[in-house]
Amino acid sequence: RAVVPMEESSGGAEFAAAAPAKRRMRTALGRSHTCCSRVATFTTGVTLLEIVLFAFEMLVSRDMPEKGSDLFFGPSWRALYKCGGLHLGEQQFWRLGTSMFLHAGMFHLLGNMVTQISVGRAVELSWGFSWMVCVYTLSGLGGSLLSATLSSANQLTVGASGAIHGLLAAAAFGNDVVIVRQPMLIAAVPPGLRPLLGWQGVAFVLTISLLSGIPMASVDNWSHLGGALAGAAVAVVQAPRSSRRRRIVCRGVAAVAIVGYFSAGVYLVGCRDCFERPGQILEVFV
């Protein structure tokens, strides 16, 4: 997710990899797996929506004097705010949802869409449409909420990175998420490295993505972290291979954690004078 300090910003995104699906295949670890669907309907739809919204942002930005927020090609911060960028100075809580579908520029959009299509397709084909909607929505809202709670009050943020980090966390911590689906590609990788084609590789990408954003002032690290936490919680709730008793306990704990997280976040966002917001993680360290 990109931070737009009301003047200028640069986009940031992360990359992960996945390959086309077949109806039945073997995972990188050798287990057979049957997909829930051949087509990742939600992933395709939300990606097209975000592309259309970016074009709309550019149309809105045409008559505004400020330069674009992306170094290459992007709308002005006023256009992003008008379209629903995250800035809760006027307590417009609907921006928590709209901001996750907007992007600050072409680089920001392209990087996020590559990651979203690859990882999102893997999660949706493994878990199904309904779980994909759940993890994407809760991760996006969770990222926006943590960002609005802890980021400085004078910044404007947009981007699907919170939801994407939630997808990465779901793929890393969840069960039966098939990342690489091409038997020929799996066979070409040495046996000792094949675990990296599964959840271990996704966990590595997630860790690097979270850490690499810390020194970058234009990256909303709170959104990334909040999305990852929400995605991991959904993965615990989904847990298809656990025993019945363990599944009930895990789902209960995760549900209480999710409700508590969102309740506390909404309260703190609404209580503007309760505490001093620390700003981005880099500002905290400085």
Side-chain angles (χ1 to χ4, degrees):
R1 174 172 282 213
V3 175
V4 186
M6 302 303 194
E7 291 90 14
E8 62 182 30
S9 174
S10 60
E14 301 76 29
F15 288 85
K22 293 185 178 179
R23 184 62 180 175
R24 188 172 185 88
M25 71 295 292
R26 298 186 66 82
T27 69
L29 300 181
R31 296 189 300 269
S32 62
H33 182 85
T34 302
C35 294
C36 300
S37 171
R38 290 178 181 272
V39 179
T41 307
F42 179 81
T43 303
T44 303
V46 75
T47 300
L48 291 176
L49 172 64
E50 289 165 4
I51 293 174
V52 170
L53 287 177
F54 180 74
F56 178 73
E57 294 169 29
M58 297 305 300
L59 289 176
V60 173
S61 184
R62 283 190 309 174
D63 300 326
M64 296 183 177
E66 295 85 359
K67 62 181 179 179
S69 57
D70 191 284
L71 294 178
F72 174 59
F73 185 69
S76 66
W77 70 265
R78 290 186 185 276
L80 291 173
Y81 180 79
K82 190 172 183 179
C83 291
L86 181 59
H87 182 270
L88 298 183
E90 299 178 7
Q91 301 292 291
Q92 297 173 329
F93 293 102
W94 52 269
R95 294 181 180 274
L96 294 170
T98 56
S99 61
M100 59 188 280
F101 300 106
L102 306 177
H103 287 84
M106 184 65 73
F107 289 145
H108 189 210
L109 176 70
L110 290 178
N112 275 353
M113 293 306 96
V114 168
T115 314
Q116 181 168 284
I117 291 172
S118 57
V119 181
R121 189 169 185 271
V123 173
E124 185 172 357
L125 292 181
S126 300
W127 286 3
F129 178 88
S130 298
W131 279 109
M132 176 61 184
V133 173
C134 180
V135 67
Y136 191 90
T137 303
L138 288 180
S139 298
L141 290 175
S144 295
L145 191 58
L146 190 62
S147 174
T149 303
L150 298 178
S151 298
S152 59
N154 64 342
Q155 76 173 36
L156 177 72
T157 65
V158 294
S161 298
I164 292 171
H165 279 75
L167 294 176
L168 288 168
F173 295 102
N175 291 320
D176 292 333
V177 177
V178 183
I179 305 300
V180 178
R181 297 171 175 267
Q182 285 185 334
M184 293 182 61
L185 178 59
I186 295 175
V189 176
L193 297 179
R194 287 179 188 176
L196 294 178
L197 300 179
W199 69 268
Q200 295 95 326
V202 178
F204 177 76
V205 171
L206 175 62
T207 302
I208 294 300
S209 178
L210 291 173
L211 294 177
S212 64
I214 292 178
M216 302 172 64
S218 62
V219 174
D220 189 350
N221 298 284
W222 295 125
S223 176
H224 293 181
L225 180 59
L229 292 175
V234 174
V236 172
V237 174
Q238 198 266 351
R241 287 193 173 185
S242 302
S243 64
R244 185 174 183 274
R245 178 178 298 180
R246 183 181 178 184
R247 185 165 61 247
I248 292 175
V249 172
C250 289
R251 288 183 175 182
V253 172
V256 171
I258 291 174
V259 172
Y261 171 78
F262 278 94
S263 300
V266 170
Y267 171 77
L268 291 174
V269 169
C271 185
R272 301 176 63 183
D273 299 326
C274 292
F275 69 104
E276 183 178 354
R277 286 161 172 75
Q280 289 301 317
I281 297 179
L282 176 62
E283 299 175 49
V284 175
F285 287 146
V286 172

